[in-house]
Amino acid sequence: MLKTLRDNILPLTVALSLLMEMVDATVLATAIPVIARELAVPVLSLKMAMATYLIALAAFVPISGWIADRYGAKRVFLAALGVFAAASLACALQTSLSGLVAARAVQGLGAALMSPVGRIIVLRHTERSEITRAMVYVTLPALIGPAIGPFIGASVTTYLGWRSIFLINLPLAAAAIALTLKVMPKDGPPTAKPFDLTGFALSAAGLVAAMTGISALGEHILPWQAATGLAVVGGILLIVYGLRASGRPDALLDLALFRHRTFDIGTIGGLIFRLSNGAISLLLPLFFQLGLGTTIMVSGALSGLNAVGAVSMRAVAPRLLDRFGFKPVMVLAALIRGVTIFGFATVTSIADWQLIPLLLIGGAAQAVVFTAVNAISYADLDASEISTGTAFSAMTRQISLALGIAFAGVLLEFTAGTAGATDGSTALPLHAFTIAYLATGMMGPLSALYFMRLKRGDADGLRRRKSKPLSSSREPQRPPLDR
């Protein structure tokens, strides 16, 4: 347990920002068919509204650590909460797909400075041996959002209209701002290194172009030629950034962090695993409503069960990691998650017996992997590397979610044929979901293979034992690194 009441309240305060993000994402996914009908747009075009938020978040996350160091983490966190709340109100006022996509981009900007900076604050005031549990405090309340968010979103959409779902963020933002002012530590003196403007321009432009191009495939907003061109240009810009950033002391995204095997595995392995999470966030609500023909209320309740399974394991996950170590737990949990996604391909009716176990077990396995990769990424980082490491990890999280949504959307569009152009009132064929589930499930075993790179002793410092805080000026003890 964290040692003081203040230590408990601090991560919970940051958790409110995650709660807003998670509620917002799950509520929007559940309401996609309804929004498509009211805006008179193809249902799969709404994947852009989901992905744009994540694209903007990923593009601006790299500067979150630098801005926190330069202007003070507390001040930046408060400003980000304000931007996110204002953008949520703007989303509720939109009457077109393009307007909704633009407002979601502003939301992503606020989130890019909100959750990563909040995590930095928690990590700077948490002992190394307590990182895993601190991450549980930070993320457990956020998992309550996906558990109840789909059903609340379905209820709000049914009785108040879909615009009201974005207004849920306003009271949460107000509570987070009040708690931040009361309990968050004061900012210390500025510690930021020089700002790499050219590097930021290359990374941001590359991420936006590549991810927008991939997400826009399907010709709902851009012709396929333009979408493909954007993706290619974005990829080239990212390669240029990587070549330029190598060895630079002022790089926003310090590629040298990958010399730490635990950071490499937590970041890249986590990215592969989270692709399935992004895909499932789009697939499940559409599967229930347009595949199995359920109401939005039933869809919301069923979608929430996946998060219920996750909530049930969050408190247990650190104990499993303490008892058995990171490698076996991460590998097994990733394989189980993959099997449960494969299992959705066998569901043809809402009454199928395997549906609820698949949702609960899959959510539980997902929570174990998330807890592990969230912690292991910081296992060998020095105090001076936390800001950059947090920004890098947060960026890859959003990239994987956005790419997962795009991946699932493109699969559905190509396999559903003309049904993919529905405005939300026409069913999608079950075979399209079957193919999507089989492809998405492969992310489980693929990530497990990457987790197998862990070696004996890796991340043992995160297993509960006496340890120094991350903010200590002394060099922490850690196992030798394989260079």
Side-chain angles (χ1 to χ4, degrees), residues 144-389:
I144 297 174
I148 64 175
F151 187 74
I152 291 177
S155 302
V156 170
T157 301
T158 300
Y159 297 109
L160 299 176
W162 67 267
R163 300 178 194 285
S164 299
I165 65 178
F166 292 103
L167 302 179
I168 296 173
N169 291 327
L170 302 184
L172 293 175
I177 289 172
L179 283 171
T180 299
L181 291 171
K182 184 174 182 180
V183 307
M184 197 163 283
K186 294 181 179 179
D187 294 317
T191 59
K193 59 188 177 184
F195 182 59
D196 179 16
L197 179 60
T198 302
F200 169 65
L202 286 171
S203 65
L207 286 169
V208 169
M211 295 172 68
T212 299
I214 294 171
S215 299
L217 289 173
E219 300 195 354
H220 296 303
I221 291 181
L222 296 173
W224 71 266
Q225 297 95 332
T228 303
L230 267 180
V232 171
V233 169
I236 293 172
L237 289 175
L238 290 175
I239 291 173
V240 172
Y241 172 80
L243 294 174
R244 182 180 182 278
S246 181
R248 289 182 64 94
D250 62 343
L252 286 172
L253 299 174
D254 187 2
L255 302 181
L257 293 178
F258 285 94
R259 73 183 186 278
H260 302 299
R261 186 170 53 253
T262 48
F263 181 83
D264 178 5
I265 292 170
T267 302
I268 303 302
L271 185 151
I272 297 170
F273 183 84
R274 285 189 175 93
L275 286 171
S276 66
N277 190 41
I280 287 297
S281 71
L282 178 67
L283 288 174
L284 284 182
L286 297 183
F287 178 56
F288 294 139
Q289 294 178 59
L290 303 183
L292 302 183
T294 68
T295 65
I296 187 175
M297 299 291 284
V298 173
S299 172
L302 289 173
S303 297
L305 285 180
N306 194 61
V308 169
V311 171
S312 69
M313 284 301 296
R314 276 292 183 167
V316 179
R319 298 178 185 177
L320 293 176
L321 295 170
D322 283 346
R323 174 65 180 84
F324 300 104
F326 278 77
K327 181 177 180 177
V329 172
M330 292 169 69
V331 169
L332 181 59
L335 291 174
I336 291 173
R337 178 57 168 167
V339 169
T340 62
I341 295 175
F342 291 144
F344 288 126
T346 68
V347 176
T348 58
S349 166
I350 199 69
D352 282 359
W353 68 269
Q354 70 268 39
L355 178 57
I356 291 179
L358 288 173
L359 289 166
L360 293 173
I361 295 172
Q366 171 187 293
V368 172
V369 176
F370 283 178
T371 300
V373 297
N374 282 342
I376 202 171
S377 297
Y378 303 102
D380 295 318
L381 299 189
D382 298 334
S384 61
E385 297 174 317
I386 292 174
S387 293
T388 303

Side-chain angles (χ1 to χ4, degrees), residues 14 35 86 97 105 123 126 149 194 228 266 311 318 365 370 384 402 431 433 436 472 480 482:
V14 173
I35 299 174
L97 176 60
L123 287 165
T126 302
T228 303
V311 171
F370 283 178
S384 61
H431 76 265
F433 290 103
S472 171
D482 260 0

